[in-house]
């Protein structure tokens, strides 16, 4: 005779006092941040200087997106009411990762003799009216970030810079998966990620950038 066995939600399984969702957030993001920042080295900065304006333009393009994401999470932590403990920790980790990406890209561009683009003025509309809306918008931003790096990769001339970009996109992909997990969505719904052109990405980001 069969029995109906109640299986707890995976995200609620405790791992040393933390829910599985919180444990996965900290473990995966911490690992990505360590390897990602280590790759942005003086060698990479020298390579971007040698590769010319093309790679500098791509770096500034990436910096614009990182500015947008960093501002989004910083504002969310101030304005979204009713964030669960796990989602507040997730937003904090993501904000810190995006801040680190901003710092690394600005240093690369400056050390290569370029000028980092200015921080844009942003408006996220009603993205922070509640937790569900915040997570949905975060999902859009993280998927956009991954597709942007995927699309820009073939345009990068320097292999050192390509490696640095690869370490950032790995963390962005972890972000996307964790936000999907927080929304009870499949973390990897497709076997292959989309690659978007710069025009496509900037068109998607334009509604949130005011200057």
């Amino acid at each position: 005779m069969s029995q109906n066995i109640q299986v707890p939600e995976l995200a609620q399984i405790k791992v040393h006092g933390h829910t599985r969702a919180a444990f996965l957030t900290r473990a995966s993001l911490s690992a990505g941040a360590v390897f990602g920042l280590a790759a942005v080295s003086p060698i990479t900065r020298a390579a971007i200087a040698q590769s010319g304006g093309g790679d500098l333009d791509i770096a500034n393009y990436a910096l614009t997106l990182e500015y947008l994401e960093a501002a989004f999470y910083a504002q969310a932590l101030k304005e979204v009411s009713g964030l669960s403990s796990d989602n507040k920790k997730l937003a904090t980790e993501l904000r810190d990762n995006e801040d680190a990406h901003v710092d690394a890209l600005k240093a690369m561009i400056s050390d290569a003799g370029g000028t980092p683009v200015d921080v844009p003025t942003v408006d996220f509309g009603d993205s922070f009216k509640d937790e569900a809306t915040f997570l949905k918008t975060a999902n859009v931003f993280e998927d956009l970030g991954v597709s942007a790096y995927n699309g820009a990769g073939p345009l990068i001339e320097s292999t050192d810079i390509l490696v640095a970009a690869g370490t950032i996109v790995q963390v962005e992909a972890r972000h996307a998966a964790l936000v999907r997990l927080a929304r009870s969505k499949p973390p990897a719904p497709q076997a292959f990620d989309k690659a978007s052109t710069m025009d496509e990405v900037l068109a998607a980001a334009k509604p949130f950038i005011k200057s």
Side-chain angles (χ1 to χ4, degrees):
M1 182 176 178
S2 63
Q3 292 180 315
N4 290 326
I5 301 175
Q6 297 297 319
V7 180
E9 290 291 332
L10 285 177
Q12 298 307 315
I13 296 175
K14 296 291 182 178
V15 182
H16 297 298
H18 299 282
T19 64
R20 181 174 178 274
F23 176 80
L24 287 175
T25 297
R26 184 163 295 279
S28 61
L29 291 180
S30 295
V34 168
F35 289 107
L37 292 177
V40 184
S41 64
I43 295 175
T44 305
R45 295 171 186 174
I48 198 172
Q50 295 170 3
S51 64
D55 284 352
L56 280 171
D57 289 342
I58 292 171
N60 265 320
Y61 161 68
L63 178 58
T64 300
L65 294 176
E66 298 294 349
Y67 277 144
L68 186 64
E69 290 182 309
F72 174 73
Y73 291 113
Q75 192 171 338
L77 285 165
K78 296 176 181 177
E79 296 189 17
V80 180
S81 61
L83 273 182
S84 69
S85 175
D86 281 352
N87 286 333
K88 187 173 183 179
K89 289 177 182 177
L90 174 61
T92 301
E93 292 273 5
L94 268 54
R95 178 203 61 193
D96 292 347
N97 280 180
E98 304 301 358
D99 284 343
H101 292 168
V102 166
D103 290 343
L105 287 168
K106 287 176 66 178
M108 267 199 329
I109 294 165
S110 295
D111 288 357
T115 301
V117 293
D118 293 333
V119 180
T121 301
V122 295
D123 183 350
F124 298 109
D126 64 353
S127 299
F128 307 125
K129 67 179 182 180
D130 54 40
E131 184 176 67
T133 305
F134 155 65
L135 289 172
K136 183 176 181 179
T137 309
N139 203 154
V140 171
F141 278 139
E142 296 302 343
D143 284 351
L144 183 66
V146 173
S147 68
Y149 278 100
N150 286 344
L155 305 176
I156 297 174
E157 298 177 21
S158 164
T159 55
D160 290 320
I161 298 166
L162 186 60
V163 169
T167 63
I168 292 178
V169 74
Q170 290 174 44
V171 176
E172 297 292 349
R174 290 185 179 95
H175 290 183
L178 288 165
V179 170
R180 287 177 179 276
L181 177 64
R183 299 183 67 211
S184 299
K185 302 289 185 182
Q190 298 177 340
F192 301 94
D193 272 325
K194 179 183 178 181
S196 296
T197 66
M198 288 189 184
D199 287 343
E200 289 172 335
V201 172
L202 292 175
K206 186 176 179 179
F208 304 100
I209 300 176
K210 299 308 172 186
S211 66

